[in-house]
């Protein structure tokens, strides 16, 4: 098969896939280097339509780089990305209209009002003034920000600014929402409000890719989780399956100034072990296994 | 098209919110230059057969419109390094051309505002006989277009806000003093004159003075300015594309 035929077949394949498959996003073998630092070392993953997929990893793992590439802010060195069957890198403008990006930092105009920030965004995404007004009204309602629409952004609290950032990204009806550490630096009450807000957005059919280093956040929100470490995706599964694989119950034992954790698949096994450990050690805790345990297990093995 | 509108509208909304502060700051420098150089130092002084104030005003307009147009780099730097709003524009489905046009037009608007302030002060002062016609405004437009494009290009090139001061100190400030603003370039040492004569600001000061004094225009200067404007804008477009990390 000649080169051009191959390309044609590939194009037709991806075109058909775009129609029949339920895959919203496909990332294949993505590489990115900043100077001598290899930020991404060939990551690959897929997200289904309507799914909330979380990239979980420590700081500097490559989460933000992945999102910056997907949102068109950074160019990858190599790799392929397909958004609803179309190459994202070759159809940048199309991809940008389909994606809403919420960065980790607040990139809002502090001196402009809530409405003015939404207006600028709407015009950037080629919406009509009527559409901007209608959509702003709906989203401000959804985010409980209607009464603050005339307020300058600098007059809003951190939680309200974060909500505004999210609804701004939703203004142009994106099919894929990218959330980079959406609750970083927020207090637990506001964090929970943002979580329910994200769940409401997903319930309306939006596919969501979220990065976080809060394990609880991923456990509560994500349908599937990928652990990313030093630019590599180590494993992908549902939070429940990850926990099942490790064991449902954990026993923490403190000795020699360090905490050691043992995992058990059944309550009986755990209780038997607890009895044994309680004769040897004083500080013992029995608890449910969380995604944090899975994360620590994965990252410590990677560190070694 | 809406990308251009969004970029321009953002700058205009910000300008509107700070309008009186901006107007005040735009008035201070021309008032000081007119008082210190035009009235204090230049009283009774004639240059090229004209009262010094009539020599100074067109030069002051060219320098002030240059500074205001170039100063868009400060706003862009704030948007890029501090507010990170530039990412919102980078991530949007708009072309670099739309963004560049919006920013450059905002620089031109600010340059027109500063020109209006100087003309207003001149009018209040009285006794200055200069001609202001459409061509005068077109030359101010070209001047602002060149320096807003260069301001945009410099804002896209620098890696930190502090680098901007270097560009201003080494390029803009010398041009402001040597570009025929306060004195004729023929007063400068002969070896430096060929270099000074091709500076955009020298061409603008000379052209504005010719129009203001109702003298025949050297159209080759105008052609050169338009060529410079095209190059400056292409440079700005190139740097926007390069600003992606």
């Amino acid at each position: 098969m000649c080169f051009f035929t191959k390309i044609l077949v590939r194009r037709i394949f991806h075109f058909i896939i775009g129609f029949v498959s339920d895959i919203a996003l496909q990332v294949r073998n993505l590489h990115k280097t900043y100077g001598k630092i290899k930020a991404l070392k060939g990551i690959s993953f897929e997200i289904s339509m309507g799914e909330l997929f979380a990239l979980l990893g420590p700081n500097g793992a490559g989460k933000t780089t992945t999102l910056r590439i997907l949102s068109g802010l950074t160019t990858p060195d190599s790799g392929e990305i397909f958004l609803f069957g179309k190459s994202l890198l070759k159809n940048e403008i199309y991809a940008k209209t389909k994606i809403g990006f919420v960065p980790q930092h607040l990139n809002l105009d502090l001196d402009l009002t809530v409405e003015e920030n939404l207006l600028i965004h709407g015009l950037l995404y080629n919406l009509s003034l009527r559409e901007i007004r209608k959509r702003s009204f709906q989203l401000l309602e959804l985010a409980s920000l209607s009464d603050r629409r005339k307020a300058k952004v600098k007059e809003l609290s951190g939680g309200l600014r974060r909500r505004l950032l999210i609804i701004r990204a939703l203004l142009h009806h994106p099919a894929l929402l990218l959330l980079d550490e959406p609750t970083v630096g927020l207090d637990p009450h506001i964090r929970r409000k943002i979580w329910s807000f994200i769940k409401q957005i997903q319930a309306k059919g939006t596919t969501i890719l979220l990065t976080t280093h809060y394990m609880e956040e991923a456990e509560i929100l994500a349908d599937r989780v990928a652990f990313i470490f030093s630019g590599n995706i180590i494993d992908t599964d549902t939070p429940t399956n990850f926990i099942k694989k490790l064991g449902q119950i954990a026993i923490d034992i403190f000795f020699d100034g360090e905490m050691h954790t043992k995992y058990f698949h059944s309550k009986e096994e755990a209780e038997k072990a607890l009895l044994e450990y309680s004769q040897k050690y004083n500080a013992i805790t029995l608890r449910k296994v969380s995604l944090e345990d899975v994360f620590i297990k994965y990252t410590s093995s990677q560190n070694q | 098209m809406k990308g251009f509108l969004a970029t321009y509208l953002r700058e205009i909304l910000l300008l509107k919110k700070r309008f009186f502060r901006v107007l005040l700051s735009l008035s201070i420098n021309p008032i000081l230059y007119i008082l210190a150089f035009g009235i204090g130092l230049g009283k009774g002084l004639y240059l090229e057969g004209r009262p010094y104030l009539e020599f100074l005003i067109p030069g002051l307009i060219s320098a002030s419109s240059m500074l205001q147009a170039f100063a868009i780099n400060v706003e862009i730097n704030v948007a890029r390094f501090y507010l990170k709003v530039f990412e919102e524009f980078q991530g949007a489905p708009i072309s670099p051309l739309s963004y560049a046009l919006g920013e450059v037009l905002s620089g031109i608007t600010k340059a027109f505002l500063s020109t209006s302030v100087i003309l207003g002060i001149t009018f209040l002062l009285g006794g200055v006989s200069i001609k202001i016609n459409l061509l005068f405004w077109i030359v101010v437009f070209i001047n602002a277009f060149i320096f807003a494009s260069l301001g945009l290009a410099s804002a896209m090139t620098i890696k930190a806000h502090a680098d901007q001061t270097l560009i201003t100190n080494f390029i803009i400030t010398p041009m402001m003093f040597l570009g025929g603003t306060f004195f004729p370039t023929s007063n400068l040492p002969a070896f430096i004159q060929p270099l000074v004569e091709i500076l955009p600001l020298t061409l603008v000061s000379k052209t504005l003075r010719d129009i203001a004094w109702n003298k025949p225009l050297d159209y080759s200067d105008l052609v050169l300015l338009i060529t410079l404007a095209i190059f400056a804008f292409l440079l700005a477009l190139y740097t926007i594309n390069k600003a992606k990390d």
Side-chain angles (χ1 to χ4, degrees):
Chain A
M1 209 187 291
C2 82
F3 177 71
F4 291 107
T5 321
K6 268 185 187 173
I7 289 180
L8 189 68
V9 169
R10 211 170 175 186
R11 288 255 166 111
I12 293 169
F13 173 75
H14 286 297
F15 185 73
I16 296 166
I17 285 289
F19 275 105
V20 297
S21 128
D22 75 332
I23 293 168
L25 180 77
Q26 266 183 304
V27 173
R28 287 189 200 156
N29 207 18
L30 207 60
H31 286 263
K32 177 70 187 173
T33 309
Y34 292 106
K36 286 179 183 173
I37 300 162
K38 285 184 177 173
L40 297 178
K41 298 170 187 165
I43 65 160
S44 301
F45 60 91
E46 282 181 1
I47 306 177
S48 302
M49 303 256 193
E51 190 182 21
L52 201 156
F53 186 86
L55 274 179
L56 204 57
N59 293 331
K63 306 187 295 289
T64 299
T65 303
T66 308
L67 258 57
R68 285 181 69 84
I69 291 171
L70 292 173
S71 60
L73 297 177
T74 303
T75 315
D77 299 337
S78 62
E80 285 182 305
I81 304 164
F82 293 98
L83 183 69
F84 306 107
K86 274 191 177 182
S87 166
L88 182 139
L89 301 170
K90 287 173 190 158
N91 302 280
E92 208 176 307
I93 298 282
Y94 160 81
K96 282 176 174 179
T97 58
K98 293 280 178 196
I99 289 176
F101 177 45
V102 180
Q104 197 179 131
H105 47 262
L106 295 158
N107 65 348
L108 295 158
D109 259 311
L110 301 180
D111 283 329
L112 298 186
T113 64
V114 169
E115 267 182 345
E116 285 166 345
N117 269 280
L118 293 174
L119 171 67
I120 303 290
H121 182 92
L123 289 174
L124 282 173
Y125 284 78
N126 205 25
L127 302 185
S128 68
L129 286 176
R130 198 176 155 186
E131 224 175 328
I132 296 170
R133 262 197 299 271
K134 189 181 155 200
R135 191 78 180 133
S136 298
F137 180 79
Q138 290 169 344
L139 289 168
L140 287 168
E141 284 282 314
L142 182 71
S144 312
L145 271 167
S146 297
D147 55 333
R148 307 303 307 273
R149 65 184 194 277
K150 298 275 178 206
K152 281 185 181 173
V153 173
K154 64 181 174 192
E155 293 161 2
L156 302 181
S157 66
L160 292 183
R161 285 181 195 190
R162 184 59 65 179
R163 266 190 258 177
L164 173 60
L165 204 62
I166 298 173
I167 62 163
R168 186 184 67 175
L170 288 169
L171 196 77
H172 59 282
H173 296 279
L176 173 67
L177 182 66
L178 308 174
L179 297 167
D180 192 8
E181 307 267 3
T183 61
V184 74
L186 298 177
D187 70 50
H189 292 290
I190 297 167
R191 186 176 296 159
R192 269 156 214 281
K193 279 187 182 173
I194 302 276
W195 287 348
S196 34
F197 186 47
I198 293 170
K199 273 288 178 196
Q200 281 181 62
I201 295 163
Q202 192 199 6
K204 287 179 188 291
T206 311
T207 307
I208 300 174
L209 169 56
L210 168 128
T211 74
T212 184
H213 61 262
Y214 295 127
M215 306 302 132
E216 193 192 359
E217 186 163 286
E219 202 173 329
I220 290 172
L221 292 176
D223 298 317
R224 279 190 311 136
V225 167
F227 284 109
I228 182 167
F229 192 81
S230 297
N232 289 307
I233 287 187
I234 308 162
D235 205 353
T236 309
D237 212 332
T238 63
T240 320
N241 282 348
F242 269 128
I243 292 168
K244 264 188 195 165
K245 276 189 254 175
L246 187 66
Q248 312 266 41
I249 298 161
I251 298 177
D252 296 324
I253 313 152
F254 296 89
F255 65 90
D256 294 340
E258 270 185 57
M259 188 174 79
H260 302 266
T261 308
K262 303 277 178 195
Y263 299 101
F264 301 92
H265 287 278
S266 70
K267 205 179 167 187
E268 291 73 35
E269 270 181 74
E271 279 171 351
K272 199 175 154 192
L274 185 70
L275 205 68
E276 191 185 316
Y277 295 144
S278 58
Q279 287 165 359
K280 288 186 196 168
Y281 310 107
N282 291 327
I284 304 167
T285 320
L286 183 91
R287 60 175 175 81
K288 273 187 175 178
V289 171
S290 69
L291 205 57
E292 189 164 326
D293 293 287
V294 183
F295 178 78
I296 290 168
K297 191 91 178 164
Y298 269 110
T299 50
S300 56
S301 65
Q302 289 297 316
N303 275 329
Q304 280 158 18
Chain B
M1 188 59 195
K2 281 187 186 157
F4 151 75
L5 188 66
T7 313
Y8 183 61
L9 183 67
R10 175 182 174 266
E11 296 293 345
I12 295 306
L13 284 172
L14 289 170
L15 180 69
K16 193 181 137 201
K17 287 181 198 286
R18 305 170 195 149
F19 189 72
F20 288 106
R21 270 180 290 164
V22 171
L23 205 65
L24 202 66
S25 94
L26 284 179
S27 312
I28 294 294
N29 272 352
I31 288 175
L32 286 175
Y33 281 123
I34 289 170
L35 281 177
F37 293 106
I39 297 171
L41 195 70
K43 198 176 184 183
L45 182 72
Y46 281 75
L47 271 181
E48 298 181 5
R50 290 272 187 161
Y52 182 64
L53 213 49
E54 287 178 17
F55 179 90
L56 179 69
I57 300 297
L60 209 52
I61 286 173
S62 52
S64 182
S65 54
M66 169 190 79
L67 287 176
Q68 288 310 316
F70 190 78
I72 63 162
N73 61 12
V74 178
E75 295 286 341
I76 297 170
N77 284 338
V78 172
R80 198 171 162 210
F81 298 117
Y82 172 62
L83 293 173
K84 309 268 184 194
V85 180
F86 180 62
E87 282 184 0
E88 164 79 344
F89 289 81
Q90 270 187 315
I94 61 164
S95 63
L97 178 71
S98 304
Y99 177 73
L101 280 175
E103 289 293 358
V104 168
L105 193 64
S106 80
I108 294 168
T109 307
K110 287 168 192 169
F112 271 23
L113 200 62
S114 81
T115 304
S116 306
V117 167
I118 297 172
L119 289 175
I121 295 166
T122 311
F123 176 75
L124 289 174
L125 216 63
V128 181
S129 167
I130 52 171
K131 187 181 164 188
I132 309 296
N133 57 13
L134 181 65
L135 194 59
F136 188 94
W137 285 101
I138 290 172
V139 176
V140 173
F141 179 91
I142 298 169
N143 185 34
F145 191 94
I146 294 171
F147 286 99
S149 300
L150 292 177
L152 176 58
S154 72
M156 290 294 116
T157 313
I158 60 162
K159 298 288 175 211
H161 185 57
D163 300 341
Q164 196 62 61
T165 320
L166 281 175
I167 297 178
T168 307
N169 286 349
F170 281 98
I171 300 169
I172 299 300
T173 310
M175 192 143 37
M176 183 178 162
F177 285 98
L178 303 177
T181 316
F182 301 107
F183 54 88
T185 50
S186 54
N187 288 5
L188 288 166
F191 71 93
I192 207 172
Q193 277 185 33
L195 181 73
V196 168
E197 290 297 329
I198 56 155
L199 291 177
L201 195 68
T202 314
L203 297 172
V204 172
S205 302
K206 190 170 160 276
T207 312
L208 285 184
R209 246 173 230 131
D210 287 345
I211 299 167
W213 295 353
N214 216 5
K215 279 170 68 177
L217 212 61
D218 185 350
Y219 283 96
S220 65
D221 287 349
L222 214 54
V223 171
L224 195 56
L225 281 172
I226 292 168
T227 314
L228 280 171
I230 294 166
F231 274 109
F233 191 69
L234 289 176
L235 179 71
L237 283 180
Y238 173 76
T239 55
I240 293 171
N241 285 321
K242 280 276 176 190
K244 225 182 207 186
D245 62 16

